[in-house]
Amino acid sequence: MEFVAILVSAILVNNFVLARFLGICPFLGVSKQVETAFGMGMAVTFVMTLASIITYLIHRLVLVNLGIEYLQTIAFILVIASLVQFVELFVKKASPGLYDALGVYLPLITTNCAVLGLAILNIQEKYTLMKTITHAIGASIGFMIAIVLFAGIRERLALADVPECLKGFPIALITAGLMSVAFLGFQGLSVL
Amino acid sequence: MIETILDPVLALAGLGLVFGIGLAIASRVFAVEVDPKVEAINKALPGANCGACAYPGCGAFAEAVAAGKAPVNGCPVGGADCTENLGNIMGVNAEAGEKRIARVICNGTDCNAREKFNYEGMKDCKAAIMVQGGSKACEFGCLGLGTCVDVCPFDAVYIDNGLAKIDEEKCTACEKCVVECPKDVIEMIPHSQKVAVDCNSKEFGKEVKVKCSVGCIGCKICVKKCPFDAIKFEDSLAKIDYEKCTNCMLCAEKCPTKAIWADFDNRKKAVIIDDKCIGCTICAKKCPVDAIEGELKGLHKVLDDKCIGCSVCYEKCPKDAIEMK
């Protein structure tokens, strides 16, 4: 039951993008087409899950043992940066199409606050390894839902008759704000 | 005491080392071979990312060239040097396309063209044509509000006396202004072209005349006068075939409304080199304006006041005895 609570909470109630406002850069940058948004979601999912596991292990095995938990942030950034480099190498080899589609946003996951935020939240909440993984999966599904929904709306917006002064990013930001307000409704779920 | 400093340093350095080695191995395992040509081509390109090649940027164009999908002379901005470099990289001997420049084919300055009304709206041609197609009486002419000026990445367009003008030296033939102009009054012409019809009006005769003093009225005098059959009429507007035109400027001289522009200052004249001329009379026979005289086997002479600089004699002379100056 606790796992379900963590999952639902990460997906809906504390949605990383729309409730915690983490990872806004790729959310706005790679959401012009559903297809690339989905690709970005997959990349973030992969990095988030892997990063959570590794940061958890490093925190437990290295930082706690040596009593240097205060180096959390810098160590996690190191982990995430290396991981993203690895994912980039991997995607370039495995799927050049996805690599081209993600473009500059793949390296940008390096500095994506959603990934770092997730790693730090895991430690703060004192999750076990299994809970950490569940939380990571929930967070990435939440990110995926947000970015794919947003991309779907933006695809329609591209064809809509938007006033000249609101074309492009202004209307996208307004849309994102409205989505965030909609997700606010889940606060009442109180699964935790 | 020393541990409190050493531990974190060693721990982080150790982590960094592990990840570094891991990445080094991964980059070997997942190595993707990048065509070295792409890099070389990218360096040879201007790097303006203007998109004139119809690719999203210099990088995408470089990839397309390396893949053989784009021609080496596809970059209009880089010019002949760039084309040559790309040709060397790709191992093809590319004909550098002749440099072209944009030209506003309208001479309807504030004093030449009549206005329908006073336009005091936004300084933008696209906005202006919303109101009755613009303030100029001629619906084909340049409005001179500078939409092309705004769009030119090279500062090559300026407004002079209510008319857009193009700086030939700065123009890189990226065609952005051609695309942007709502009146379609900008045309690409070869850089060496010294004669052009500066009118875009598809109307005829009096209808043109009442609206603009320098419009093409469709009298077809230029067609009759052209010795090279290089002028054709489309929609009662003279069009010069730049392949056939020899820049003799005869049409510009004869045009009754001066709708044809010609660079008279740089008009060339044929000069016969006395030592080389053998008196074969070919030049005299070929000259369309009878500007060369001379007896068979005698020295020939060019009559300067008649010569129009068409360079036909220069091309036909079997002894290369004629120069264009």
Side-chain angles (χ1 to χ4, degrees), chain A residues 102-177:
Chain A
L102 292 176
V104 73
Y105 292 100
L106 193 53
L108 272 183
I109 305 180
T110 318
T111 49
N112 187 345
C113 48
V115 183
L116 183 64
L118 174 75
I120 289 175
L121 275 172
N122 286 334
I123 307 302
Q124 272 179 6
E125 301 279 343
K126 299 198 170 54
Y127 283 150
T128 61
L129 185 59
M130 281 318 288
K131 281 186 190 166
T132 295
I133 295 172
T134 316
H135 189 211
I137 292 171
S140 12
I141 292 175
F143 182 85
M144 177 89 90
I145 287 178
I147 197 170
V148 170
L149 282 179
F150 188 52
I153 296 174
R154 278 185 83 175
E155 270 188 4
R156 290 187 172 206
L157 271 181
L159 303 171
D161 185 19
V162 179
E164 189 73 36
C165 57
L166 289 178
K167 260 185 191 150
F169 267 109
I171 194 75
L173 286 170
I174 292 172
T175 314

Side-chain angles (χ1 to χ4, degrees), chain A residues 58 66 68 70-71 74-75 78-79 82 85-86 89-90 92-93, chain B residues 4 7-8 11-12 15-16 19 23 26-27 29-32 34:
Chain A
I58 286 195
L66 292 173
I68 47 171
Y70 60 90
L71 284 177
I74 198 163
L78 186 67
V79 172
S82 319
Q85 286 291 310
F86 178 75
L89 286 169
F90 181 75
K92 201 172 181 179
K93 178 82 173 179
Chain B
T4 46
D7 277 1
L12 273 191
L15 277 180
F19 288 134
L23 279 181
S27 70
V29 176
F30 297 115
V32 177
V34 180

Side-chain angles (χ1 to χ4, degrees), chain A residues 18 22 30 47 71 82 98 128 147 176 180:
Chain A
L18 298 170
L22 293 170
V30 207
V47 173
L71 284 177
S82 319
L98 183 61
T128 61
I147 197 170
S180 179

Side-chain angles (χ1 to χ4, degrees), chain B residues 154-210:
Chain B
F154 306 97
D155 285 334
V157 193
Y158 58 96
I159 303 290
D160 181 27
N161 203 4
L163 198 66
K165 292 268 178 204
I166 287 160
D167 186 328
E168 291 185 15
E169 295 310 311
K170 287 184 184 165
C171 178
T172 62
C174 74
E175 299 194 20
K176 284 211 163 156
C177 52
V178 179
V179 174
E180 212 58 27
C181 178
K183 289 283 187 184
D184 286 335
V185 73
I186 306 180
E187 204 181 67
M188 302 304 296
I189 67 167
H191 191 221
S192 60
Q193 185 66 26
K194 295 284 171 250
V195 184
V197 180
D198 268 354
C199 181
N200 192 33
S201 171
K202 293 169 181 70
E203 287 174 310
F204 182 73
K206 199 183 167 193
E207 286 167 39
V208 179
K209 197 72 194 166
V210 294

Side-chain angles (χ1 to χ4, degrees), chain B residues 56-324:
Chain B
C58 294
F61 176 68
E63 270 173 36
V65 172
K69 284 179 200 154
V72 286
N73 59 358
C75 177
V77 178
D81 288 351
C82 173
T83 302
E84 204 186 319
N85 287 340
L86 294 199
N88 288 340
I89 295 165
M90 291 299 290
V92 287
N93 200 359
E95 283 279 313
E98 207 216 316
K99 189 192 169 189
R100 297 183 310 149
I101 51 164
R103 182 167 183 86
V104 180
I105 50 167
C106 175
N107 203 12
T109 55
D110 287 341
C111 26
N112 289 336
R114 210 168 59 77
E115 298 270 315
K116 272 189 291 197
F117 54 87
N118 268 339
Y119 176 75
E120 289 187 355
M122 262 169 84
K123 286 273 173 214
D124 182 87
C125 305
K126 285 182 174 176
I129 58 166
M130 305 271 191
V131 190
Q132 294 266 308
S135 62
K136 285 222 163 106
C138 168
E139 63 172 298
F140 304 96
C142 171
L143 295 174
L145 293 172
T147 296
C148 45
V149 178
D150 296 337
V151 82
C152 180
F154 306 97
D155 285 334
V157 193
Y158 58 96
I159 303 290
D160 181 27
N161 203 4
L163 198 66
K165 292 268 178 204
I166 287 160
D167 186 328
E168 291 185 15
E169 295 310 311
K170 287 184 184 165
C171 178
T172 62
C174 74
E175 299 194 20
K176 284 211 163 156
C177 52
V178 179
V179 174
E180 212 58 27
C181 178
K183 289 283 187 184
D184 286 335
V185 73
I186 306 180
E187 204 181 67
M188 302 304 296
I189 67 167
H191 191 221
S192 60
Q193 185 66 26
K194 295 284 171 250
V195 184
V197 180
D198 268 354
C199 181
N200 192 33
S201 171
K202 293 169 181 70
E203 287 174 310
F204 182 73
K206 199 183 167 193
E207 286 167 39
V208 179
K209 197 72 194 166
V210 294
K211 290 172 184 171
C212 179
S213 61
V214 291
C216 171
I217 52 173
C219 64
K220 300 197 179 174
I221 288 176
C222 50
V223 177
K224 284 174 206 135
K225 290 294 173 188
C226 181
F228 308 99
D229 197 21
I231 303 185
K232 290 220 160 49
F233 261 76
E234 276 172 33
D235 298 325
S236 47
L237 178 62
K239 288 272 176 207
I240 296 176
D241 183 340
Y242 300 125
E243 296 278 312
K244 288 183 182 169
C245 178
T246 62
N247 292 319
C248 74
M249 308 182 189
L250 212 53
C251 51
E253 268 178 15
K254 302 293 179 190
C255 180
T257 58
K258 299 289 165 224
I260 303 179
W261 160 84
D263 188 0
F264 285 112
D265 294 341
N266 291 319
R267 194 176 200 177
K268 289 184 173 157
K269 294 274 175 208
V271 178
I272 292 175
I273 305 166
D274 296 354
D275 299 347
K276 287 186 180 171
C277 178
I278 54 167
C280 68
T281 73
I282 288 176
C283 54
K285 281 179 193 152
K286 294 289 177 187
C287 179
V289 286
D290 296 328
I292 301 180
E293 60 180 18
E295 296 296 313
L296 184 66
K297 297 203 174 157
L299 192 63
H300 282 55
K301 229 172 69 184
V302 178
L303 303 171
D304 271 354
D305 51 335
K306 276 188 176 178
C307 177
I308 54 173
C310 68
S311 67
V312 166
C313 50
Y314 167 78
E315 274 159 26
K316 297 291 177 189
C317 179
K319 291 287 168 191
D320 292 332
I322 301 179
E323 274 182 320
M324 299 303 298

